[in-house]
Amino acid sequence: MKLQILFLMMIFLGVPQMSSAAIKTEDFDSIKLYTLKNNSGMTVKITNYGAIITSIIVPDKNGKAGDIALGYNRVEDYINAVDKPYFGAIVGRYGNRIAKGQFEIDGETYSLAVNNGENHLHGGTIGFDKVVWNAEPMEGNGWQALKLTYLAKDMEEGYPGNLEVSVTYTLNNKNELKVDYLATTDKATHINLTQHTYFNLKGEGEGTILDHELMLNASKYTPTDSGAIPTGELAEVKETPFDFTKAKTIGKEIDEDHQQLIYGLGYDHNWVIDREDEEGLTLAARVHEPTTGRVMEIETTEPGIQFYCGNFLDGRLKGKSGKPYVKRGGFCLETQHYPDSPNQPNFPSTLLKPGEEYETTTVFRFSTKK
């Protein structure tokens, strides 16, 4: 099968009303939906608004295709979503939290938007999930790709430096979706990009994900305070509900009386990936859904992975199939550096300086087992 890239305009019902200035009327003509397909039954749809993955269609163990990514049919719904769940988006300039919305570089303190209690979350008020990226389709022998680029200007959302960012999604015939991140800056800054798709391997809108079997290749995690800011400790998962070193269902211990589960209302923590190679791709997670037989494996060059199991979904949001997204109706596995790294000197650094390149890769691999 010859691979093709399809271009589809997003569906609009007039210009959406917004409380922020993220999207101007003239931007709407440049918002499109791009479709990547392979010859193994997999389809990925991506919009250049927020670099959002809107759909991931993969076969189950019987060959039946289904959409496993939570999301919407209309761009308005992404813009106006209640509680801003970041469905499918690239989040940045800094994914996850920064304590009190501040960090210091070379003796100068930078103040960011405080949009999550007293802390900064996912790049601020208008993060990378709320801007229009430039898009460039690409194609080769056995693969299709979409390269998305964005220039975050100096002091945008309080971050120093003009940051040139590219995110490239590549789909191949092995049902692998590779995400390559690249960035450069003209002034020292902090960066921590990640992909924020919510998955339900039974299918989007098909109930909870508590029966999914999860393995995390991590013997330690980063406990947090009540505001989800790491304490600085790298805690052993052994003999705690956070031990996923051997596969178990997500719901097995999620409601145990453990202070970290109380803080997170379930799992919403960063795990420290066990890796022998500090720079290469390493298996971070494997998820299996028994009824469909779908399997997702994640490899990454990043040191951490945030596992979030949809604790704040409550049924108010309805997705592409019209079904409500119930509590724990989707999970995220966000490859990343650790939360609040700019203020945690013992964590791997997220500082990017002029002349350096920020370069990371994550691969989502899909398969089935009977």
Side-chain angles (χ1 to χ4, degrees):
M1 175 188 296
K2 186 180 185 299
L3 299 178
Q4 297 179 335
I5 297 182
L6 307 177
F7 304 90
L8 299 175
M9 290 299 295
M10 295 296 283
I11 301 171
F12 301 119
L13 297 177
V15 177
Q17 300 299 309
M18 296 187 62
S19 59
S20 72
I23 296 294
K24 300 180 179 67
T25 302
E26 57 267 27
D27 291 330
F28 277 88
D29 287 342
S30 63
I31 298 177
K32 293 183 172 65
L33 185 68
Y34 299 82
T35 301
L36 308 180
K37 286 187 174 182
N38 69 11
N39 62 8
S40 302
M42 184 169 171
T43 301
V44 179
K45 295 184 179 181
I46 305 156
T47 174
N48 60 325
Y49 174 72
I52 292 169
I53 293 176
T54 66
S55 176
I56 300 174
I57 298 172
V58 292
D60 65 10
K61 63 185 178 183
N62 298 314
K64 182 180 178 181
D67 191 349
I68 61 168
L70 277 61
Y72 305 114
N73 290 318
R74 307 185 313 158
V75 71
E76 295 96 327
D77 295 326
Y78 286 100
I79 294 170
N80 297 319
V82 177
D83 298 331
K84 304 298 182 191
Y86 302 94
F87 287 151
I90 292 294
V91 290
R93 194 177 292 201
Y94 196 98
N96 219 308
R97 293 168 178 85
I98 295 177
K100 296 182 172 33
Q102 289 189 336
F103 57 73
E104 185 178 296
I105 299 176
D106 295 331
E108 183 171 353
T109 298
Y110 294 91
S111 296
L112 315 172
V114 173
N115 61 327
N116 184 249
E118 63 178 8
N119 303 313
H120 176 83
L121 176 67
H122 289 338
T125 306
I126 305 175
F128 290 178
D129 61 298
K130 300 179 185 69
V131 299
V132 179
W133 297 58
N134 295 317
E136 178 188 355
M138 300 182 294
E139 184 173 1
N141 184 18
W143 58 270
Q144 292 184 321
L146 183 68
K147 182 179 181 179
L148 297 155
T149 57
Y150 178 68
L151 172 62
K153 295 182 179 179
D154 184 33
M155 300 311 296
E156 183 172 309
E157 291 296 309
Y159 289 90
N162 292 296
L163 186 76
E164 295 187 18
V165 183
S166 75
V167 176
T168 303
Y169 293 109
T170 303
L171 176 64
N172 65 26
N173 288 329
K174 298 178 182 179
N175 282 358
E176 294 173 334
L177 178 64
K178 185 171 70 162
V179 189
D180 290 304
Y181 305 86
L182 183 65
T184 58
T185 184
D186 62 0
K187 188 186 295 184
T189 191
H190 284 285
I191 179 172
N192 186 31
L193 304 180
T194 191
Q195 219 295 322
H196 206 286
T197 291
Y198 289 64
F199 298 95
N200 186 327
L201 299 187
K202 287 183 288 190
E204 62 90 22
E206 295 296 329
T208 76
I209 44 78
L210 297 177
D211 58 351
H212 286 52
E213 299 164 353
L214 171 66
M215 186 284 296
L216 292 173
N217 180 25
S219 55
K220 296 180 181 178
Y221 76 111
T222 53
T224 72
D225 63 18
S226 59
I229 297 298
T231 63
E233 178 187 6
L234 303 183
E236 298 284 343
V237 301
K238 189 176 182 180
E239 298 180 353
T240 78
F242 291 81
D243 189 353
F244 286 91
T245 53
K246 294 183 179 179
K248 67 182 180 185
T249 61
I250 291 172
K252 183 177 181 180
E253 298 173 294
I254 197 170
D255 291 320
E256 286 202 359
D257 185 18
H258 188 285
Q259 186 62 65
Q260 288 297 308
L261 293 176
I262 294 170
Y263 282 160
L265 302 179
Y267 297 111
D268 188 8
H269 294 76
N270 170 71
W271 271 254
V272 178
I273 297 169
D274 292 337
R275 45 193 314 124
E276 296 178 3
D277 182 349
E278 292 300 317
E279 296 183 355
L281 286 169
T282 297
L283 180 67
R286 181 184 296 111
V287 190
H288 172 234
E289 199 289 300
T291 60
T292 64
R294 291 190 178 104
V295 177
M296 179 176 72
E297 294 177 300
I298 300 175
E299 294 183 345
T300 188
T301 60
E302 290 278 29
I305 187 166
Q306 183 87 7
F307 170 44
Y308 169 60
C309 57
N311 304 314
F312 296 102
L313 298 174
D314 59 8
R316 284 184 294 168
L317 301 177
K318 292 186 178 181
K320 290 165 282 188
S321 60
K323 298 175 182 176
Y325 289 153
V326 299
K327 181 178 181 180
R328 296 171 180 161
F331 66 89
C332 302
L333 287 167
E334 306 156 55
T335 56
Q336 58 173 21
H337 274 57
Y338 311 159
D340 197 37
S341 289
N343 298 309
Q344 304 271 358
N346 59 319
F347 286 179
S349 177
T350 55
L351 188 66
L352 179 68
K353 298 178 180 179
E356 299 177 343
E357 284 190 338
Y358 169 91
E359 187 172 9
T360 75
T361 297
T362 293
V363 177
F364 299 87
R365 181 182 300 111
F366 298 92
S367 61
T368 60
K369 70 177 183 179
K370 299 294 185 181

